[in-house]
Amino acid sequence: MCSSFTTLAVNVSFKVEYKCPYGQSLTLVGDTAPLGNWSAKRGQRMHWSRGDTWSCNVMLPAGSTVECKYVVVDEQGKEQRWQEGSNMVVEV
């Protein structure tokens, strides 16, 4: 008898205040496929709102530990600046 396991996903919200020049935006990248496997072009584009607040929701596997960073990108998705310091660690 064969059994299959379904990995549960959790909707994780990310939010940060950051002012970047017009034409640039933030992307969330990390060490998992939903966050682009460290590629800014494949990462999760964030959405701007008043107060220079950027946010996004990402479905991540329950019980996982994910490392991630914010990246400033231009209109074509080209990396302009990576978040300084150590990676953020999120326990889902």
Side-chain angles (χ1 to χ4, degrees):
M1 183 171 169
C2 184
S3 63
S4 62
F5 294 94
T6 303
T7 302
L8 296 176
V10 177
N11 188 11
V12 181
S13 297
F14 292 85
K15 188 178 206 181
V16 64
E17 288 183 24
Y18 185 79
K19 185 174 179 77
C20 55
Y22 180 80
Q24 294 182 348
S25 60
L26 289 183
T27 295
L28 180 66
V29 298
D31 64 353
T32 185
L35 296 178
N37 291 315
W38 296 114
S39 167
K41 288 201 180 274
R42 294 190 315 259
Q44 182 68 42
R45 279 288 178 106
M46 300 186 77
H47 305 284
W48 181 88
S49 61
R50 286 184 179 216
D52 293 312
T53 300
W54 296 87
S55 61
C56 66
N57 293 318
V58 183
M59 296 300 287
L60 297 172
S64 65
T65 300
V66 175
E67 291 191 32
C68 56
K69 283 192 174 215
Y70 299 110
V71 181
V72 177
V73 297
D74 65 16
E75 293 172 331
Q76 289 77 37
K78 183 177 177 188
E79 303 166 11
Q80 299 298 306
R81 181 176 183 202
W82 282 70
Q83 177 183 358
E84 295 179 13
S86 300
N87 296 342
M88 296 182 290
V89 178
V90 178
E91 294 184 23
V92 183

